[in-house]
Amino acid sequence: MMKMTIGTTDAGYGEWELRPGGMVVQRRTDDSSNVPHVIRVRVKYGSVHHEISINSQSTFGELKKRLSVKTGVHHQDMKILYKDKERDSKMFLDLCGVKDGSRLVLKEDPISQEKRFLEMRKLVAKEKANKSISDISFQADRLAEKLSAFDVVIGKGVKVEEENLENLLEMLMNQLVKLDAIIGDGDIKLKKKMQEERLQKYVEVLDVLKIKNSLQPQTQVKPKTQPQLKPQIQAQHKERDVVTVDEETSRKCTASSPVPPVIITTRWETFDSNATYAAEAKTVKTLHPKFKWVSFD
């Protein structure tokens, strides 16, 4: 098979060769083969050198992830130089001529780091906007339930206090103000517009209910009156009530004091041992026998 060497390229990817079919491919070195094998590369980061074992057909992006574990630098903030040229993360090590024992240089890329920070801020702002819209949607559901309840009451001809309707209108307007403060593009903008249309519709319905409520007549609840009794019957009831009250008071008195309370008191006496013995000695009298003794000679 005839091969014709074209030469090296400016990108430093190695030499190219022309195959008989007319296809230009990158020429592999003699010690390279299609069989992947593990190589050890030496990477310099500042004044520290790191040795990394990696597959020869891996990409520089995979090498950056290996180095991120040892250096603590995010792999998106790195740039690797090989033969004084920066290599893209999608390039393969073997195609760029990286061999066992090759030396590479690792540097931090401040531009990539700034881009990553901006992306992180965008993601955080998007999550915050989504959460705010979700909270507003939940509050709108609750306000919709109140609005529906007022609609049912007013539809039955019952007048609702104006203060309740004004409070509901104020809460709807507060949600619109919160929604107006949210800034976002794409899905955030679409969700925001949907909630705005929804809340504005509720405000319009509430305005109609306020007009209907103002036209409702003021309903007054009349207190229930007890039927009047005849004078004789009233007097009888009064006498019964008086007797009942007296009996009840007497029952309460007897129930509260059925038996006079019994008070138990104890009196403690002190005894002296010497005085006790002396008193006993005085009180004891000598007893003379009453038997007549007969003496036998």
Side-chain angles (χ1 to χ4, degrees), residues 97-114:
V98 179
K99 305 175 185 178
D100 190 15
S102 297
R103 296 177 180 272
L104 298 89
V105 179
L106 171 64
K107 293 184 178 180
E108 293 187 22
D109 188 4
I111 298 176
S112 300
Q113 187 176 12
E114 186 176 356

Side-chain angles (χ1 to χ4, degrees), residues 18-35:
L18 180 63
R19 294 297 176 91
M23 183 173 57
V24 179
V25 297
Q26 186 178 7
R27 186 179 67 179
R28 293 182 178 271
T29 56
D30 295 337
D31 56 350
S32 63
S33 62
N34 294 328
V35 180

Side-chain angles (χ1 to χ4, degrees), residues 209-226:
L209 289 179
K210 288 175 67 177
I211 296 173
K212 290 182 179 180
N213 187 61
S214 62
L215 299 177
Q216 296 287 350
Q218 186 69 27
T219 57
Q220 295 181 356
V221 180
K222 295 182 179 181
K224 295 182 180 180
T225 57
Q226 295 181 356

Side-chain angles (χ1 to χ4, degrees), residues 78-138:
M78 296 180 181
K79 61 179 180 179
I80 296 179
L81 304 178
Y82 178 61
K83 293 182 179 180
D84 298 331
K85 292 183 179 180
E86 184 180 355
R87 307 296 174 170
D88 190 79
S89 297
K90 297 180 181 180
M91 294 180 180
F92 293 92
L93 299 176
D94 58 345
L95 295 180
C96 293
V98 179
K99 305 175 185 178
D100 190 15
S102 297
R103 296 177 180 272
L104 298 89
V105 179
L106 171 64
K107 293 184 178 180
E108 293 187 22
D109 188 4
I111 298 176
S112 300
Q113 187 176 12
E114 186 176 356
K115 288 181 180 179
R116 186 172 62 86
F117 285 159
L118 290 175
E119 291 295 330
M120 289 178 61
R121 290 179 62 182
K122 288 181 180 179
L123 290 175
V124 172
K126 187 175 181 180
E127 291 179 359
K128 186 177 179 181
N130 280 324
K131 186 178 183 302
S132 299
I133 293 176
S134 179
D135 294 341
I136 292 173
S137 177
F138 177 73

